[in-house]
Amino acid sequence: MDLCGISARASSYAKESSYNVISERKGIFESCLNSKSKAVEQIDESDISSDRKVVGITTFPAGEGVKIGVIAYEPPESTREDPIIQMGYTDMSGEKKIYNIHVNEVDPENASDLEMFAYLTYKELTGEKIPNALNNYDAYSRIKDYDGDYYRHDYINGESRFIGEKVNAKELLDRVHAWISQIQHPDAQMTARWCEWLQNLFEK
């Protein structure tokens, strides 16, 4: 029996299967990325105003031990009637990407992390900040991590998932709150209160 040959074929099959899974997932997320959203408007670098101000920062995974920083700005074209949070980052290929997020168009029941980052950052600017949290989006990200579906280690699809993967934040909060509120530990109880705070925010 040619054990070496069997081992080689098994290894080749495993690599091919892994590649197919990765390609399939990448295709799914690229499809999400290309889907239209009223809230998200990609703009050209030449349209950036020098008067915009930094209002937040977060990251998404781009490689093992590598994260890409996303900076949130409040541009001068943002108004009370049409609040806008502008997002900017440079991807792994060196391409600069800028998005205007129209906050009033963000639907927490069907929103990407890009949209939720903008939404929660704007709410914080208007005085609605989660107590005892670093910031609103950080608290939301921690809650999402507890839900077991966060992509912090998905290095291949980190960018497309951050921009295009839609999540029902209300259902996510309900799931996490249901079990974490039963744990009698200060950290768990604080997270439960964060869930409740965000649930109330979404109802306004």
Side-chain angles (χ1 to χ4, degrees), residues 31 33 49 53 85 102 108 119 128 134 136 146 152 166 170 193 203-204:
S31 176
L33 185 60
S49 170
K53 63 178 181 179
I85 296 295
H102 297 267
Y119 176 89
E128 296 182 283
L134 178 63
N136 288 351
Y146 282 126
R152 67 171 63 202
K166 302 287 187 174
K170 290 184 178 181
R193 290 192 294 273
E203 294 301 322
K204 292 182 179 179

Side-chain angles (χ1 to χ4, degrees), residues 5-25:
I6 293 173
S7 177
R9 287 195 297 274
S11 177
S12 175
Y13 176 77
K15 288 179 180 178
E16 182 179 353
S17 298
S18 176
Y19 175 79
N20 289 338
V21 169
I22 290 171
S23 297
E24 181 180 355
R25 290 180 65 190

Side-chain angles (χ1 to χ4, degrees), residues 60-61 113 137 144 149-154 158 161-162 165:
F60 61 77
D113 277 0
Y137 184 72
K144 192 175 181 184
D149 191 32
Y150 193 46
Y151 50 88
R152 67 171 63 202
H153 299 300
D154 188 353
R161 294 185 74 173
F162 177 77
E165 184 173 281

Side-chain angles (χ1 to χ4, degrees), residues 46 51 58 63 80 87-88 96 103 106 108 114-115 129 134 137 141 144 146 151 154 163 170 179 184 193 195 204:
S46 61
D51 294 331
T58 190
R80 183 170 295 182
M87 303 294 188
K96 291 186 178 180
V103 176
V106 175
L114 178 76
E115 292 170 284
K129 182 182 182 300
L134 178 63
Y137 184 72
S141 295
K144 192 175 181 184
Y146 282 126
Y151 50 88
D154 188 353
I163 296 172
K170 290 184 178 181
W179 63 266
Q184 300 306 310
R193 290 192 294 273
C195 289
K204 292 182 179 179

